[in-house]
Each structure stands twice: as C-alpha cells, then as structure tokens.
Amino acid sequence: MNGILYSATVFIWGSTWLAIAYQLGDTPVVVSVAWRFGLAAIALFAILAFQKKTPRLSAENHKLAALLALCLFSNNFLCFYAATQYLPSGLNAVVFSLAPILNALNLWIIEKRRPSATFIQGALIGFTGVVLLFASQFMNAEMDWTILLGLMLSLLGTYFFSMGNMVSAHAQRKGMPLLPTTAWSMGYGAIYLVVIALVMGLPLGVTMTPMYLSALVYLAIVGSVIGFNTYLALVGRIGAAKAAYCTVLFPLVALSLSTLFEGYEWTCLSALGVLLVLTGNLRVFGIPQPVKRWYQSSIA
C-alpha cells in the first residue's frame, strides 16, 4: 500500500506542472488559479460533509486559514503559472524541489534553528544545480532574459509555498484540524483571487475547450484534492521525513513529461544541473534505508 501511495503522489505532483502549462492562453492566470482552488475547496467540503466532519474553525483560526491561503493557495500559484509562460513546466518543478531547503532556511531565520553542516552542503549543491540548469537555458535561448524572469517568479512562488509550510506547521501545533483548515484556506484563496480579478476588470469565464477544462479538473481534483490526501496518508504511514522524498523524485516525472509534450531539449549542462539538484536534496534528506540495504547486500 505504501508503494501505491508513494507512486501516486510522485506521479500526481510531477504531472501537475504540465497541466498548468495547458491552462495558459486566453484565460487570465488569476482566473485560472481562482477556479482551480474554488473547485478544490468545494470538493473538500463535500468530502468532509460526506464523512460528517463539520469544518468549523474559531475566529482566530480563520485568520490563520486566511494567511495560509495567501501563501499556499493563491500567491504562490500565481507565480508558478506566470513562470510557466517563460519556462518549460519541468524546470518549474525542479525549482520547486528546492522547497525543503527554503523550509530549513526559514526555520533558521524565523525560529533560530541553525541548520546542520549536512544541510548546508546539500543546499549549496542544490542551488549550484539550479544555476547550471538555467545557465544551459540562457545559452540555448541566446540570452533570452525572459528565462531569468521565469526563474525569479518560480523562486518567489517556492518561497511563498515555504512560508505556507511555516503557517501550516504553526496551525497544526495549535491543534487546528488539517482537512477543514485546508478546505477553508482553499476557499479563502479562491475568494481572494476572484476579488483581484474583479478589481482588474477581468471576466471570470474560462476557455471552454476540452484541453483547458480537462486540465482544470485534473488540477483541482487530482492535483489539489487527491494528491494532497495521498501525501497526507503517506505521512501518516511512513512519517514526514520519508514522505519528503517525493520532492526529490517528482521533478524527474515533470521533466520527462516536458520532454515528451513540450519539446524540452536536454544538454550535458542541464543534465548535470538536474543531477546536482537531486543530489543536494538527497544530501539534505539522507539516503533511503531500502537503498542502503540494497547496496550493502550487493557488495556483501
């Protein structure tokens, strides 16, 4: 069962980046993200109602849910969607895989938890990999500086996500129920985005094409509801540290799909960059015990 949950999480999270690329076009980014989390919130509330778990929060907890919405279910995805206009979706996923490293940096800044030497080594390796990966893109694009804009947007979105993790951890320490909090946060995120769209004078309609609508449903239901719950189930069964290996593997899925469907072109430099990003994450998390056991048995 753990293998099924793990594989499902890696594939779902790895494939959502390509689905984001399919949403770009006539519908404004802010409207697309609003619909995504609006539908996801409705689905989560429906699940909670079916389970007869009333999603009630105190007034103070609603404030935290709204803050979580700003970090995790709105502004971060505005950045990711905008970045996908300038970057292949797989590169967006590689940048996002640095989220655990940013989490540790935020804990250092906010809670004064100094990272270990192992973490610092992994972080430096990972960031070096991103630099090499995008150096390859600059050379291929003949110094197309829109790639730099895409990188900055992707990093900003990842930082918003990391701050959302800090807010979520604080909320869980306060004993806030996870799924109801998520449902309310997704709802608040959708409302926030709708308000932005209205202030900007944007229509709330979406592109009524099979490609756009299928991507929207996939992102809302599979990416935001099912993927979130498979990950939570995995955390409950094997622990957060082991479940975090998903962030190491899903960029490989994203880059494979980007190669197949977006024509992403690999170079020696980009391959080395991806390898360093993965190595940096593995340095931070450590080598999985099953791999260690396999290696020890193979040399015995």
Side-chain angles (χ1 to χ4, degrees):
M1 186 63 181
N2 289 345
I4 294 174
L5 290 172
Y6 197 92
S7 300
T9 302
V10 169
F11 179 78
I12 289 171
W13 283 8
S15 61
T16 54
W17 301 95
L18 183 62
I20 287 174
Y22 286 151
Q23 282 205 298
L24 300 177
D26 295 332
T27 304
V29 166
V30 64
V31 175
S32 290
V33 183
W35 274 98
R36 172 180 178 173
F37 288 111
L39 291 176
I42 291 170
L44 270 180
F45 278 122
I47 291 171
L48 290 167
F50 178 77
Q51 295 176 341
K52 297 182 180 179
K53 296 180 180 179
T54 306
R56 293 178 179 174
L57 301 177
S58 67
E60 186 65 27
N61 287 349
H62 272 288
K63 293 179 183 178
L64 270 179
L67 180 59
L68 186 62
L70 294 177
C71 295
L72 214 56
F73 302 119
S74 58
N75 289 318
N76 60 323
F77 279 97
L78 288 179
C79 293
F80 290 137
Y81 275 61
T84 307
Q85 298 178 78
Y86 309 110
L87 301 177
S89 60
L91 294 189
N92 230 348
V94 172
V95 176
F96 180 74
S97 72
L98 296 175
I101 295 174
L102 293 181
N103 287 347
L105 288 174
N106 279 329
L107 286 173
W108 188 8
I109 295 170
I110 297 172
E111 299 185 12
K112 309 304 180 185
R113 298 188 195 176
R114 185 179 178 84
S116 65
T118 299
F119 163 80
I120 295 173
Q121 292 168 11
L124 290 174
I125 293 171
F127 278 112
T128 301
V130 169
V131 170
L132 289 179
L133 186 62
F134 282 89
S136 171
Q137 290 300 299
F138 278 126
M139 288 187 287
N140 286 343
E142 296 181 354
M143 298 304 289
D144 183 354
W145 290 102
T146 59
I147 293 175
L148 181 60
L149 174 59
L151 173 60
M152 293 298 102
L153 286 168
S154 191
L155 284 171
L156 180 60
T158 305
Y159 190 76
F160 269 121
F161 176 84
S162 177
M163 289 303 298
N165 287 341
M166 302 298 103
V167 176
S168 179
H170 177 68
Q172 292 184 56
R173 286 196 297 269
K174 290 190 61 177
M176 292 174 63
L178 191 57
L179 286 183
T181 300
T182 302
W184 279 109
S185 294
M186 287 182 173
Y188 284 137
I191 293 170
Y192 164 72
L193 294 166
V194 167
V195 170
I196 291 177
L198 293 176
V199 169
M200 295 175 64
L202 300 174
L204 298 180
V206 299
T207 305
M208 301 300 289
T209 62
M211 180 67 74
Y212 181 91
L213 294 176
S214 60
L216 175 60
V217 172
Y218 185 83
L219 288 167
I221 305 303
V222 180
S224 300
V225 177
I226 297 177
F228 180 79
N229 282 292
T230 57
Y231 179 71
L232 286 180
L234 196 63
V235 169
R237 295 173 71 95
I238 67 175
K242 292 181 180 178
Y245 281 102
C246 291
T247 64
V248 180
L249 295 179
F250 78 75
L252 296 179
V253 175
L255 281 169
S256 298
L257 293 174
S258 182
T259 302
L260 288 173
F261 296 102
E262 295 180 308
Y264 175 69
E265 297 182 2
W266 288 84
T267 65
C268 292
L269 201 57
S270 63
L272 177 59
V274 171
L275 179 62
L276 286 177
V277 171
L278 299 179
T279 302
N281 276 281
L282 285 173
R283 183 62 177 154
V284 170
F285 292 127
I287 305 298
Q289 286 300 321
V291 175
K292 287 183 178 179
R293 287 195 294 269
W294 171 82
Y295 177 74
Q296 291 168 353
S297 64
S298 66
I299 63 174

